[in-house]
Amino acid sequence: MTAAPPADVAARATAGFRQRYGGEPAGRWAAPGRVNLIGEHTDYNDGFVLPFALPLRTVVAATSRNDARWTVWSELDAAPVEFGPADVDEPGRVTGWAAYVAGVVWALRAAGHTVPGARLAVASDVPVGAGLSSSAAIEAAVLAALVDLGGLHLPTDRWPRLAQRAENDYVGAPTGIMDQSAVIRGRSGHALLLDCRTEEIEQIPFDLALAGLAMLVIDSRAPHRHADGEYAARRRSCERAARTLGVPALRDVNITDLDAALPKLPDDETRRRVRHVVTEDQRVLDTAVLLRAGLIGDVGPLLTASHASMRDDFEITVPEVDIAVEAALAAGAYGARMTGGGFGGCVLALIEASAADAVAAAVATAYAERGFAAPGPVTVFPTGGVTRLD
Ligand code: GLA
């Protein structure tokens, strides 16, 4: 099964706009979800990540208005949400999905821009709660719309930080820079190697089809259990460990220094957290070396090692994702791992292109045997980042 073509979601955004506001939108902007090939919980440790943009998109149809107010309708809700400057300037006042929109307005205003009032209609094929960055997708699409509608001077390489601020400081989720970078800077046919400290990027060719391979993304459909609190706890633990080790961030612990660093940490749990981050950074760099050499099939063991590290050291997996990884590997995947923040979400499996149905069926059988809700597998390929459609 492949992803729905973008035209459908764009048509839904336009239809929603016409129905809610009447008339035609001034333009439509689209931003993808993302999947992270490897490099989990490394971004807020100033480390390395290797995500790519997905062929599943969020589309915003919008037009400006003359007053400084914002009305947003989304497929997720029957009624539109409207807010003004007073709501925006007090982080937390707009809640739910609309908070990501208000957060972008807030972040633009906080950076000194005059943000045009707007009417926006949002449609999305990026599933919410699956760990595919539906939040970064709406942030990026709304940001692109407001920048264009307002004629704002804001180079795109500054967009990821701004969208991250919306999420960190308005919505209140202490996430890193990976998701926004992937959905804004992703390039078709490439994986994005990002240094999360310097924001330097390298677009590495990642042509699965040419290699006769495919990437299967399996939505575990596991309910996110305590994901927000656990994510914040992992981040705090990493930051404390960096302070103990006397480094600005765990990125500064080199893999060759790891054995010397671990005994300086106060307890076994912290040692395992640090070991995950330091080894994961190295796995990202090792994966990049293989991809540059065109050896896509060879990254499988690194993906699987990443999963084991998340399961045993960082402790962010749940039975549903562990089972999906095991079943995919048993069915012949070259490598498999959970992708995203953890405690549910999606598993990705690197497979022979011809094996998609067999691997998906093996995971479905393993789920049925355990009484889990049926998983949602799709094959994906790297697409481009945020763009204006028309
Ligand atoms: C979530 C966050 C990202 C990143 C990942 C884990 O997706 O939004 O910033 O930390 O988790 O790698």
Side-chain angles (χ1 to χ4, degrees):
M1 197 170 67
T2 47
D8 295 344
V9 61
R12 297 203 310 272
T14 307
F17 184 96
R18 288 185 186 134
Q19 196 190 358
R20 286 290 146 199
Y21 310 124
E24 292 300 306
R28 298 184 298 179
W29 294 261
R34 68 93 188 94
V35 73
N36 187 19
L37 181 60
I38 195 160
E40 228 60 83
H41 287 258
T42 45
D43 60 354
Y44 57 78
N45 288 299
D46 276 4
F48 301 94
V49 293
L50 195 52
F52 62 88
L54 283 179
L56 296 169
R57 301 203 284 181
T58 295
V59 174
V60 171
T63 192
S64 52
R65 54 191 277 177
N66 294 330
D67 53 357
R69 294 192 68 76
W70 297 273
T71 313
V72 200
W73 170 84
S74 145
E75 289 178 308
L76 296 175
D77 250 330
V81 176
E82 184 165 325
F83 50 86
D87 307 299
V88 168
D89 291 344
E90 198 181 310
R93 221 152 115 170
V94 180
T95 56
W97 59 266
Y100 296 100
V101 181
V104 169
V105 175
W106 172 84
L108 280 168
R109 284 164 65 91
H113 297 283
T114 304
V115 186
R119 291 188 177 84
L120 309 109
V122 184
S124 184
D125 281 339
V126 186
V128 174
L132 300 178
S133 292
S134 59
S135 55
I138 189 172
E139 287 157 10
V142 167
L143 182 54
L146 294 176
V147 165
D148 275 0
L149 289 174
L152 309 183
H153 178 68
L154 189 63
T156 44
D157 58 3
R158 287 180 46 207
W159 292 15
R161 274 290 169 221
L162 206 130
Q164 186 198 9
R165 282 204 69 194
E167 186 139 349
N168 289 176
D169 299 336
Y170 193 91
V171 180
T175 51
I177 190 81
M178 170 169 69
D179 304 343
Q180 292 80 7
S181 301
V183 310
I184 290 167
R185 305 178 83 181
R187 182 189 291 175
S188 177
H190 292 72
L192 180 83
L193 176 64
L194 171 71
D195 179 332
C196 299
R197 172 170 282 165
T198 64
E199 285 188 69
E200 264 176 75
I201 60 169
E202 179 185 344
Q203 303 281 3
I204 307 186
F206 186 55
D207 192 335
L208 289 156
L210 190 69
L213 299 171
M215 189 64 78
L216 194 60
V217 169
I218 303 157
D219 185 348
S220 72
R221 301 212 204 274
H224 277 249
R225 305 173 188 105
H226 315 299
D228 295 350
E230 293 286 350
Y231 183 97
R234 295 299 180 286
R235 183 169 184 157
R236 277 197 305 275
S237 167
C238 291
E239 287 165 354
R240 261 199 316 269
R243 279 197 297 278
T244 306
L245 295 172
V247 290
L250 290 184
R251 181 252 179 80
D252 299 296
V253 182
N254 198 277
I255 189 85
T256 52
D257 304 332
L258 182 60
D259 285 346
L262 292 179
K264 296 181 188 152
L265 295 164
D267 53 76
D268 180 57
E269 183 182 285
T270 311
R271 284 191 281 277
R272 286 186 289 113
R273 303 293 188 252
V274 170
R275 189 166 58 196
H276 166 73
V277 173
V278 175
T279 58
E280 185 79 348
D281 268 334
Q282 189 59 45
R283 282 186 288 271
V284 175
L285 298 176
D286 292 346
T287 303
V289 169
L290 291 171
L291 292 189
R292 284 187 204 108
L295 301 171
I296 300 184
D298 290 5
V299 309
L302 290 163
L303 305 183
T304 307
S306 168
H307 187 79
S309 181
M310 290 191 286
R311 183 191 59 214
D312 303 335
D313 279 353
F314 220 59
E315 295 178 289
I316 54 172
T317 70
V318 292
E320 287 89 338
V321 302
D322 292 337
I323 295 297
V325 165
E326 276 168 33
L329 291 172
Y334 290 109
R337 62 183 287 276
M338 182 187 74
T339 183
F343 307 98
C346 286
V347 161
L348 54 85
L350 180 64
I351 56 173
E352 281 297 330
S354 56
D357 289 345
V359 175
V363 176
T365 303
Y367 267 44
E369 279 167 11
R370 286 163 182 82
F372 295 161
V378 290
T379 55
V380 297
F381 47 87
T383 54
V386 64
T387 166
R388 183 172 186 155
L389 296 181
D390 46 37

